[in-house]
Amino acid sequence: MYKRRGKVFVVSGPSGVGKGTLVEEVLKKRDIHLSISCTSRAPRHNEREGVDYFFINKEDFLEKIDKNAFAEWAEVYGNYYGTPKAELEKHLSKGQDVILEIEMLGAAQIKELGEDAVLIFVLPPNLKTLKNRLISRKTEDSSAIEARLSCTMDELKHLSNYDYYLVNKNIDLTVDELLSIIDSQAHRVSKDFIEYLEESERQFSL
Ligand code: 5GP
């Protein structure tokens, strides 16, 4: 019997582009697990342990890197971020799809793992809108905002590593577009399905 392995949906995009809201809306409509990352960054006032992130100190993070506990990790704006490997594997092996909301270096590592991953990049309608969103969010000071905007310009250079892009002009529309990307993957020929067919053929029991 074919036991489907879950797919990984990687959602990346600049800070303030609306990834969080987008993913939140998609999770209400589809049975997908959201991976909770570990970070060495300090929690923001509205963030909760185990819901937004697992907040750990830098030493513990580095120890986890040594123990190979992350499926991917990256240092972003001087802080570490990583996807716990065991948790990801637990869901994928049950056939459950997983969303990772991570930046592009981590996205590239997931692709290299050979996992059945779909990489989606969310763009703002323009940089001015993005800057205004970051200012109104009030979670970063002006130098952090400038750092994030210049990082966005760098990220755009790596867009070709992604499978899809979305322009978040209107959140409802973008949610629908992301849902259609997710739904379109249901019958995509995947590596594990091919392996299953080859095995079945060997046993004459297709
Ligand atoms: P923030 O500090 O705004 O929560 O996140 C900063 C950046 O780190 C965002 O682009 C976010 O998507 C990314 N990020 C969050 N978790 C992870 C992770 O586990 N791995 C990687 N590579 N990036 C992450």
Side-chain angles (χ1 to χ4, degrees), residues 11 13 15 19 37-38 41 44 47 53 72-74 76-77 81-83 101-103 105-107 137 140 148 155:
V11 179
S15 304
K19 281 169 295 176
S37 300
C38 291
R41 162 167 85 58
R44 296 182 182 129
E47 288 181 326
Y53 284 106
E72 63 70 38
W73 65 272
V76 191
Y77 316 119
Y81 296 83
T83 302
E101 197 195 312
I102 62 176
E103 51 69 67
L105 295 173
R137 202 165 80 165
E140 276 85 20
R148 281 171 188 243
E155 283 201 312

Side-chain angles (χ1 to χ4, degrees), residues 74-140:
E75 192 182 348
V76 191
Y77 316 119
N79 294 308
Y80 289 91
Y81 296 83
T83 302
K85 194 194 256 181
E87 192 65 15
L88 178 65
E89 181 54 34
K90 187 178 98 186
H91 288 91
L92 295 179
S93 61
K94 281 195 294 197
Q96 169 108 68
D97 293 340
V98 179
I99 293 192
L100 306 184
E101 197 195 312
I102 62 176
E103 51 69 67
M104 52 158 212
L105 295 173
Q109 292 170 52
I110 293 291
K111 210 170 171 180
E112 278 164 25
L113 280 180
E115 210 51 79
D116 195 14
V118 181
L119 274 53
I120 303 149
F121 198 92
V122 187
L123 292 162
N126 53 58
L127 281 185
K128 194 166 185 305
T129 312
L130 187 66
K131 188 170 183 176
N132 290 341
R133 280 190 198 157
L134 283 173
I135 292 169
S136 62
R137 202 165 80 165
K138 293 192 179 116
T139 50
E140 276 85 20

Side-chain angles (χ1 to χ4, degrees), residues 31-32 35 47 51 71 83 100 113 149 170 179:
D31 179 24
I32 304 184
S35 165
E47 288 181 326
V51 177
T83 302
L100 306 184
L113 280 180
L149 287 175
N170 168 303
L179 287 172

